[in-house]
Amino acid sequence: HVYPVRLVGAPSLQSVRFLYAGVRNVSNPAPQNGEIWMNDIYTGDLLRDYDHAGRLSANISMAGGALSLGGNWARTGADYRGLRQKRGAGADNSTLSLNARTDLQYFLPLGGFSIPLSAGYSNNKSLPKYPPNSDTEIVDAAVADSLRTQSNTRSFSTALSRRTTSKGFLMRYTFDALRPNFSWSETRSISPAS
């Protein structure tokens, strides 16, 4: 016989240490003696969710390399399992990265100098399927969003160099050898603990 149960609070099968069972006599008021044996205790209707992973990448170069653009996007579902994985990651993970490169020498007369510019942006987001220390699936999108882990990174870099070698001895080994550069990066993170 199958006896349904009711969820109270946030139960977790991993936390079960003891099972108690009993019999109630509701039809015969006289005490009864005997033995009861129980076996094959199992959970029915096992939830098996199937998920997928996707990846998209694109790169484009225009005007002979004057401008290069690139981007990558990837998503792995909470229940997606690789060939050697027994279970999914338990969180919906997505990644987006964009980058752009150019050189000002293609747009401005720089007198033999090169000033390359590069900029990048990345976003990593993880939405959990279950709350911490629980195996009850989150069904409220607001709760999942409050437990998300996310990071955004922006970066920029540039440098200055001379494309042609000076004829003068002094300029060739002093000014031409200089390679000043500048780089900047900023990362902002969100996590349930912060």
Side-chain angles (χ1 to χ4, degrees), residues 7-51:
L7 288 176
V8 177
S12 172
L13 289 176
Q14 296 178 349
S15 301
V16 174
R17 296 292 178 263
F18 301 98
L19 292 174
Y20 298 94
V23 176
R24 179 178 295 173
N25 184 1
V26 295
S27 61
N28 189 351
Q32 303 293 318
N33 294 324
E35 292 183 357
I36 297 176
W37 292 70
M38 299 181 67
N39 63 359
D40 295 335
I41 299 174
Y42 65 93
T43 57
D45 296 330
L46 180 63
L47 182 62
R48 292 189 181 275
D49 287 337
Y50 297 93
D51 220 323

Side-chain angles (χ1 to χ4, degrees), residues 87-163:
R87 63 181 61 182
D92 191 298
N93 298 311
S94 60
T95 301
L96 172 67
S97 62
L98 304 170
N99 61 77
R101 296 173 183 268
T102 188
D103 197 316
L104 290 183
Q105 67 172 328
Y106 293 107
F107 307 100
L108 299 172
L110 299 178
F113 287 95
S114 174
I115 305 179
L117 304 173
S118 64
Y121 171 82
S122 67
N123 180 294
N124 298 313
K125 187 175 182 181
S126 179
L127 289 173
K129 183 176 180 179
Y130 306 101
N133 303 318
S134 175
D135 57 5
T136 305
E137 184 175 351
I138 299 173
V139 294
D140 189 353
V143 174
D145 188 63
S146 68
L147 296 173
R148 82 183 188 277
T149 301
Q150 184 174 1
S151 65
N152 292 314
T153 301
R154 296 181 295 171
S155 61
F156 172 79
S157 65
T158 184
L160 175 66
S161 62
R162 191 168 177 85
R163 291 185 293 114

Side-chain angles (χ1 to χ4, degrees), residues 73-95:
W73 172 86
R75 179 197 173 270
T76 304
D79 294 303
Y80 175 78
R81 293 175 292 171
L83 294 176
R84 297 186 179 181
Q85 292 177 316
K86 293 184 178 179
R87 63 181 61 182
D92 191 298
N93 298 311
S94 60
T95 301

